[in-house]
Amino acid sequence: MAHEHHHHECSTCEHHHVHHHEEEHHGLLTSILVAAALLGIAVFVEHTFVLPMWQLLLIYLVPYLIVGWGTLKEAIEGLMEGEAFNEHFLMAIATLGALGIGFLSGAEHEFPEAVFVMLFFQVGELFEGYAEGKSRESISHLMDIRPDIAHVVGENAELTDARPEEVKVGETILIRVGEKIPLDGVVVEGNSELNTIALTGETMPRAVATGDEVVSGCVNLSGVLRVRTTKSFGESTVSKIIRLVEDAGEHKSQSESFISKFARIYTPIVVVAALLLAVVPVCFGGNFATWLYRALMFLVVSCPCALVLSVPLTFFGGIGGASRRGILIKGANYMDVLSKIDTVVFDKTGTLTHGMFAVEAVHPERFDEHQLLHLAAHVEHYTTHPIGAALRDAFPDEATDGCQVTDVQEIAGQGITAKVGELTVSVGNTKLMDAIGAQWHDCSHAGTIIHVAIDGQYAGHIVISDKVKEDSTEAIAQLKALGVSRTVMLTGDRREVGAHVAEQLGIDEWYTELLPGDKVEHVEKYLNGSEEHRVAFVGDGINDAPVLARADVGIAMGGLGSDAAIEAADVVLMDDHPSKVAMAMRVARRTLAIARQNVWFAIGVKLAVLVLAALGLATMWFAVFADVGVTVLAVLNAMRALKC
């Protein structure tokens, strides 16, 4: 009962598609109601008047063709395309056979049954359409984030309206209260709050001011904003997310791949079995009409609609349900992996902690606190690292004090050296101090220790701390409750800081002072190629792209605006709550459980009724229930995935 449905139309066609889908839905319902009424009239005529068989056939053909024309057309198209063995072909053969069987000697006619089989088959199609429409709605809420218009500010401050696709990078756009932000950019004027619920599932508005980055798809709530665009529409967050969800249908899960292969092999076997059932017993003296009737029933029952339809629908529903909660799963295949995770590896900074560093203490050995901070802030001026930002924030006057900064050298995993005026200033970790021969000493504070040397002489250190997120403890507890046997934390931070965070959260294993390359090696240690024991890596996507790609499933957190995350990860959590990892696993497990229920229920009922049909213990009405009834129940069950 499942045609090939294409779930990933371009987003511009989405509204048109939904409208077209609804029209189809109403048309099918009308033809079912008309055919049912005409079938009732045909049965009344048959029992009231004595008519020859061919006239009766003509009366029953009217409701049959009204309701079954689409199926016959699909069957013929399938034959012409060389795909004969689809469910429309099975239904067409079974019903046409039932219409013709009455013309055989010694056989009862089966006209009402033939029409009823087709009628009930279309009722199943109606349910399928309804369920698919619901699944579409659950994903089309993402289409609501698609902006319609951008107000471009011209040279003389005049406004021109343009489609977001036409706006160039670097142009300034105006966003009024209540409008969607059309492109990613930076606020150049104005303060406001943004509603990010469509992207993140977060109900709390997010405050923005001049200098802050904003991402497309959010709704501007309280103030007029002027934004300088930093990306074209195609590269903006909103486009990437829509593309990501549309493409999710392309990545089949193992269950779906199994079902499509199963249907390709199963259907020809069923057709051959039905032929043998009609022919072989007749060779041994059986009544041809009786065995043909059983073979037709066998065809009706064997139709694999419930499987072919309900399993992809379940995954589609699961992906839609997850996206409502700000969890983007890039394909049904990752649902399989998510449900089997038993090791979760976390990056620390920005994932379990806020990644918002602040200077906590300054311990100078030479100079005073103010001068030490002043020199360190100058050296860190050009780095994008959050620690550099913390030092700059602690000494905001660096840009206006006239110091010349030259010869800036960044050493990966160690720190930065630069000349500030005549002084050579080195700011970094103990590895950098050792490399230049400065005699550093440790600090009792729990935090990241930034050591400073001036002209090769140790000058003191600055303590920077990073707060653990409020729901990190709950996230680890939830994973353990789900049966995750091992939680691991990786960080480039020093040992004391890592140990402090790990103990606070109850993490099983932790590794500290790692370079980005070391993280990949650590994740590889846990990958054992086992189908049942999968490894997830959770990072904030800024510098974790290689590790996200290497794990069985890479989960990027806080993907709102992080390109590297959206590209490299398999699952993107649109906000920065680590507890969403456990939620993603729960959605995946529930979706897979529903898919499995449908598979076993459908196969079990089918096998039982096939045996009864072959033995002559089942009627055509019974066969119809076994096919359409099972499909309707499986579709209704699949719809539960939307509520994941």
Side-chain angles (χ1 to χ4, degrees), residues 298-423:
F298 191 84
L299 279 181
V300 172
V301 179
S302 64
C303 177
C305 319
L307 286 179
V308 173
L309 164 69
S310 68
V311 173
L313 200 59
T314 304
F315 282 105
F316 196 55
I319 288 170
S323 72
R324 276 188 182 279
R325 290 166 170 74
I327 300 168
L328 301 184
I329 299 170
K330 283 195 179 178
N333 50 332
Y334 299 118
M335 286 266 194
D336 283 333
V337 184
L338 272 172
S339 68
K340 293 171 185 162
I341 286 169
D342 79 338
T343 300
V344 180
V345 183
F346 288 93
D347 177 52
K348 177 181 80 73
T349 309
T351 305
L352 294 170
T353 63
H354 282 287
M356 300 294 283
F357 291 91
V359 170
E360 197 172 276
V362 182
H363 297 157
E365 303 269 313
R366 296 164 61 198
F367 303 105
D368 60 21
E369 288 186 15
H370 180 270
Q371 284 173 306
L372 194 68
L373 254 184
H374 159 220
L375 291 168
H378 270 302
V379 172
E380 293 282 345
H381 182 72
Y382 299 101
T383 178
T384 55
H385 198 281
I387 284 174
L391 289 169
R392 292 197 298 276
D393 292 344
F395 196 88
D397 305 329
E398 51 164 322
T400 57
D401 64 5
C403 288
Q404 282 287 95
V405 182
T406 53
D407 300 343
V408 181
Q409 272 188 300
E410 189 158 357
I411 303 143
Q414 292 187 15
I416 302 179
T417 296
K419 284 193 79 128
V420 181
E422 294 304 309
L423 302 172

